[in-house]
Amino acid sequence: MLLRRWIATGVAAVATLGALNTLPATAGHQPNPADQSLRTLGMRHDLFIGTAVDMAALNDPADPQYRQLTASQFSTVTAENVMKWESLEPTRGVYNWGPADELIAFAKQNNQRVRGHVLVWHNQLPGWLTSGVADGSISTAELRDILKNHITNVVKHFKGKIWQWDVVNEAVSDPWDTPSTLHYKGFWAQHLGPDYVADAFRWARAADPKALLFYNDYNIEAFGSGDPANDKTQFVYDMAKQLLAAGVPIDGVGSQGHLGTQYGNFDTLQVAAALKKFADLGLATAFTEVDVRSQITEAMENGDSNEINPRLQASAANYSVLLQACLADRHCLSFTVWGFTDKYSWVPNWFGSEGLANIYDENYQPKRAYNLMKGDLIYSGAPYVLPRIPQRPRR
Ligand code: XIL
């Protein structure tokens, strides 16, 4: 609680200073770029700025600010949960399109593009599916048909309304998994083998010829050793290259961008180099789920600025690294944050004692990360930052 108040006070002081700061006469009638939204500033580069949307928050009449900021600051939206399999088909054969359709309608109303998330993932699967496979009542052959039907039904339902689909999510293991040699992990690889990846892209393309089809994963912001046995970025790069060589209709690779300030992370040059390598394969890229969390200590709970400030600054710097790298590559089409306010972040639920991951605090005050993002969008341009090159869906 103290921590919340401490941050809010700091931001109020900054806002007062800003108000006292008068524009020089030479600024004429130019609008102050700092007063413009992220989405408006992103359009200087044809870059779409997005957020994941929590439908409960969007529909909460007691919290109009969430809806207002979702509409005003962002030019693309992603369903945080309501397009996942357990939400769309909680009972076998009975689809629940309502919440996802609502998000699509909201996006249309606010002139926003939609990232579809997600068609194939090992998490948030409905119980009927996982228990059916576990008890043997769903055979491997039937499972493949079920997956094909799911992709076909979902992509057809949203046909023409989705800009980018996350077709396959998080298919690759991490070096800390067992075995430590990188491999295809999770429910789908276990039951269908790695070929499900290519199948999924083909089925998605058959259902919507125009959506951009993405592979999406975390810990692929930069290349490491270059050995696909332990460098996840390299593993994903090799996978994408093989898919392309086999004529699989993959259009892009999404880098989730879930970072933590306690880790080494990367600098702009490393991230830009990785985006360029993917672009050189003929793929679009995107940052799809950016947030930068920190460990919350007891001292922070008691308002200790020695511990709070370095974390807020490090979080902001990491947002900036990813955004600058994206700006620097003309094939990086969108930059989506995984929720914009600490009020509804998945981080404390998922990582326990971590938080402060988003660009607004719990009271909707913009944090340093927000302002750094704005600065990057404002103070960049030719010759190194140029408008995006649109991606054509591959057949
Ligand atoms: C998370 C959501 O934010 C949570 O609300 C949910 O409980 C679990 O999933 N990678 C992804 C996202 O691709 O779908 C995850 O979203 C975060 C990690």
Side-chain angles (χ1 to χ4, degrees):
M1 196 54 215
L2 246 180
L3 173 62
R4 236 175 272 174
R5 225 180 306 138
W6 189 89
I7 294 170
T9 318
V11 171
V14 171
T16 316
L17 266 181
L20 293 174
N21 205 358
T22 45
L23 275 177
T26 47
H29 297 296
Q30 291 276 346
N32 182 355
D35 294 337
Q36 296 189 311
S37 66
L38 294 175
R39 69 181 287 177
T40 301
L41 293 169
M43 279 307 129
R44 296 186 61 226
H45 315 281
D46 297 335
L47 177 66
F48 286 76
I49 307 290
T51 183
V53 179
D54 174 335
M55 291 310 287
L58 194 74
N59 285 322
D60 183 354
D63 191 359
Q65 248 177 315
Y66 185 88
R67 185 171 265 266
Q68 193 270 323
L69 288 171
T70 304
S72 62
Q73 292 289 329
F74 301 99
S75 43
T76 169
V77 290
T78 306
E80 183 170 358
N81 287 301
V82 299
M83 288 191 195
K84 292 171 181 173
W85 200 327
E86 68 173 8
S87 303
L88 288 181
E89 199 186 3
T91 307
R92 189 167 184 179
V94 182
Y95 282 88
N96 172 32
W97 303 113
D101 285 348
E102 231 180 85
L103 180 63
I104 302 259
F106 176 87
K108 191 170 178 204
Q109 202 183 346
N110 293 295
N111 193 22
Q112 295 165 316
R113 295 192 178 182
V114 182
R115 295 197 80 261
H117 178 81
V118 51
L119 296 173
V120 195
W121 190 29
H122 53 268
N123 280 345
Q124 294 179 274
L125 291 170
W128 61 263
L129 178 63
T130 48
S131 60
V133 170
D135 68 20
S137 59
I138 294 176
S139 70
T140 299
E142 196 184 353
L143 183 64
R144 199 167 175 274
D145 283 347
I146 289 173
L147 181 61
K148 181 179 180 181
N149 278 334
H150 175 77
I151 292 175
T152 306
N153 290 340
V154 173
V155 175
K156 279 200 170 151
H157 178 83
F158 297 112
K159 188 175 173 181
K161 297 172 181 163
I162 301 288
W163 178 32
Q164 306 173 6
W165 262 117
D166 287 334
V167 177
V168 177
N169 196 33
E170 302 181 356
V172 180
S173 68
D174 293 285
W176 55 82
D177 289 331
T178 310
S180 65
T181 301
L182 297 185
H183 56 276
Y184 288 92
K185 73 170 183 196
F187 182 86
W188 297 105
Q190 266 159 33
H191 297 288
L192 299 181
D195 285 352
Y196 82 87
V197 176
D199 291 337
F201 280 94
R202 291 197 172 103
W203 293 329
R205 173 57 78 233
D208 186 342
K210 292 199 180 143
L212 293 176
L213 305 182
F214 274 69
Y215 175 77
N216 193 50
D217 215 331
Y218 60 90
N219 283 348
I220 58 166
E221 294 84 15
F223 284 89
S225 67
D227 179 354
N230 55 42
D231 178 348
K232 189 167 172 182
T233 312
Q234 188 66 46
F235 189 104
V236 169
Y237 176 87
D238 291 348
M239 175 190 78
K241 200 171 168 182
Q242 283 159 19
L243 291 171
L244 288 166
V248 174
I250 176 175
D251 303 308
V253 169
S255 180
Q256 294 182 359
H258 292 295
L259 300 178
T261 61
Q262 67 271 39
Y263 306 119
N265 298 327
F266 306 103
D267 62 49
T268 308
L269 303 181
Q270 293 172 299
V271 179
L275 295 180
K276 183 174 184 321
K277 276 195 86 168
F278 282 105
D280 286 347
L281 288 179
L283 294 169
T285 55
F287 282 102
T288 55
E289 306 186 11
V290 181
D291 56 12
V292 189
R293 61 190 188 270
S294 291
Q295 304 273 4
I296 306 293
T297 64
E298 213 182 307
M300 290 169 75
E301 297 284 3
N302 293 325
D304 184 348
S305 60
N306 278 303
E307 299 208 0
I308 295 169
N309 279 331
R311 285 169 172 80
L312 293 178
Q313 291 169 22
S315 181
N318 277 289
Y319 273 96
S320 177
V321 162
L322 300 186
L323 180 54
Q324 286 190 0
C326 182
L327 281 166
D329 197 287
R330 304 187 71 185
H331 300 276
C332 184
L333 303 181
S334 56
F335 185 95
T336 292
V337 295
W338 204 242
F340 57 92
T341 162
D342 289 338
K343 187 171 180 182
Y344 300 115
S345 173
W346 72 304
V347 166
N349 298 331
W350 206 264
F351 299 94
S353 61
E354 296 180 49
L356 293 182
N358 302 98
I359 61 176
Y360 287 81
D361 73 10
E362 298 188 0
N363 301 308
Y364 295 110
Q365 296 303 312
K367 291 157 67 178
R368 180 179 290 240
Y370 173 87
N371 287 328
L372 235 52
M373 280 182 66
K374 268 195 168 174
D376 291 336
L377 294 168
I378 294 167
Y379 303 116
S380 57
Y384 297 117
V385 173
L386 298 169
R388 311 297 91 188
I389 297 171
Q391 184 76 7
R392 267 195 232 103
R394 200 171 256 107
R395 292 303 145 121

